[in-house]
Amino acid sequence: MTLIRSAKRMAAMAHRLRQRGKRIGVVPTMGALHEGHGALIRAAASQNDVVIVTVFVNPLQFGPHDDFRRYPRTLRRDVQLARASGAKIIFAPGVGQIYPKGFQTTVRVGAMARRWEGSSRPGHFEGVATVVAILLELTRPTHAYFGQKDYQQSLIVERLIRDLHLPVRFHRVPTVREPDGLAMSSRNASLSPVERRQAASIHQALNGAARRIRAGERDAARLIDGMRRLISEAPGARIDYVAIVDAKTLEPVWRLRGRVALLAAAWIGRTRLIDNLLVDVS
Ligand code: AMP
């Protein structure tokens, strides 16, 4: 296992690996790794010669009122989990390594970035797209792995790779969940025991709606209503958005058809959680 802190060293190492014809899988993360990240790393390890995990809490994707300072940083444990899951290299640069002094170039994303997460967190996806472009440039992967857990982000990255003609194959890995259905997230660690129990309602609401769709319900408004009601039952919960959207465009749908994504974002106490489910409407 090699821990790399410098952007220059990372780029040189990636260059050497590519020259030797290695297949490189990259898994970009913000650290505080859990089994959700583990699944991405294992997927990458099964399809590549070398797996690079990047650990970087990206200030550019946090808003002024977001939890950038509160975000957990656990590099020592991250190195262990990454290694146990099959990673060979951890790239954990400081902010100054990624954003040189005087930095002023960003990647602007179109309409898809303005909805849902983008509307609640202005500038978030510009920050994500910018750092992903930089990390892909520094690590030169042949394959890149992102989680369905952040479904909108995964679509935006997939789009970015296509739009900028980046020579890397995109992979989306299914969401890993706790036994009660809560999507694993680094932010779950900041939930109190009571909040932790309430947080499961987000997945229960999505799951309930998916069941009703499979039973024949096609009216989005009724389904959204049901999901909102279930999440709101938890005393500490505050809904940000609940939506049913076309799985490709993320535009809302009212009569369900084709492939749809059920999206939810809610505050449980001071912690903002997101989740989604994809459903094929037959
Ligand atoms: P993060 O460290 O939260 O920025 O996440 C890094 C990558 O791991 C992103 O592509 C996430 O979508 C993915 N990820 C986070 N949580 C999960 C999960 N529970 N299951 C699958 N992938 C996840």
Side-chain angles (χ1 to χ4, degrees):
M1 172 66 98
T2 312
L3 175 63
I4 299 181
R5 295 290 205 166
S6 124
K8 232 188 207 152
R9 240 192 100 209
M10 181 68 253
M13 168 83 95
H15 181 70
R16 274 199 307 278
L17 289 167
R18 284 301 285 265
Q19 267 189 335
R20 282 158 47 200
K22 300 286 185 198
R23 297 211 303 183
I24 306 177
V26 73
V27 180
T29 80
M30 296 203 299
L33 300 187
H34 49 68
E35 274 312 307
H37 301 111
L40 269 65
I41 299 167
R42 281 192 296 277
S46 72
Q47 297 170 338
N48 296 276
D49 303 309
V50 179
V51 175
I52 304 172
V53 174
T54 70
V55 172
F56 181 62
V57 185
N58 174 30
L60 215 60
Q61 72 189 66
F62 287 79
H65 305 295
D66 283 347
D67 52 355
F68 176 69
R69 275 174 206 289
R70 274 208 313 144
Y71 202 86
R73 288 158 173 88
T74 59
L75 185 60
R76 247 202 289 143
R77 270 191 28 226
D78 293 347
V79 171
Q80 282 165 13
L81 192 144
R83 180 185 8 214
S85 308
K88 291 268 167 53
I89 298 171
I90 289 213
F91 177 43
V95 173
Q97 289 293 312
I98 294 298
Y99 301 118
K101 214 162 159 230
F103 178 86
Q104 50 179 294
T105 308
T106 60
V107 177
R108 196 167 66 84
V109 189
M112 199 187 277
R114 286 193 285 277
R115 282 200 177 276
W116 318 121
E117 285 305 285
S119 145
S120 298
R121 308 179 66 188
H124 171 64
F125 285 123
E126 184 167 337
V128 169
T130 302
V131 82
V132 167
I134 293 169
L135 291 171
L136 292 178
E137 175 59 28
L138 291 173
T139 58
R140 292 288 170 104
T142 48
H143 298 261
Y145 297 80
F146 292 84
Q148 188 199 314
K149 155 76 175 30
D150 300 279
Y151 185 61
Q152 184 175 10
Q153 166 177 288
S154 75
L155 287 182
I156 285 171
V157 170
E158 198 176 9
R159 187 74 249 173
L160 168 130
I161 288 172
R162 213 175 301 148
D163 289 351
L164 299 185
H165 302 264
L166 304 181
V168 51
R169 254 209 41 222
F170 169 91
H171 300 262
R172 181 166 26 248
V173 177
T175 303
V176 178
R177 299 180 178 282
E178 301 286 356
D180 66 353
L182 176 66
M184 288 194 181
S185 163
S186 309
R187 292 190 166 95
N188 294 351
S190 32
L191 297 168
S192 72
V194 173
E195 291 169 345
R196 170 63 192 80
R197 281 195 294 279
Q198 295 172 346
S201 70
I202 299 173
H203 174 253
Q204 282 157 9
L206 296 174
N207 220 12
R211 258 200 316 272
R212 286 175 65 190
I213 296 169
R214 285 193 286 271
E217 178 63 86
R218 295 290 179 267
D219 185 87
R222 277 205 294 264
L223 290 161
I224 291 170
D225 220 47
M227 289 191 277
R228 293 189 71 100
R229 229 172 313 130
L230 211 153
I231 296 171
S232 310
E233 271 172 18
R238 189 158 52 81
I239 292 173
D240 186 343
Y241 61 80
V242 172
I244 303 186
V245 302
D246 179 281
K248 279 213 184 90
T249 62
L250 296 185
E251 298 294 324
V253 294
W254 300 111
R255 277 306 289 177
L256 270 57
R257 55 199 293 258
R259 186 160 231 231
V260 297
L262 316 181
L263 307 177
W267 291 89
I268 307 288
R270 284 179 68 199
T271 308
R272 187 172 179 282
L273 299 176
I274 60 172
D275 199 356
N276 69 84
L277 279 185
L278 296 176
V279 184
D280 282 310
V281 184
S282 47

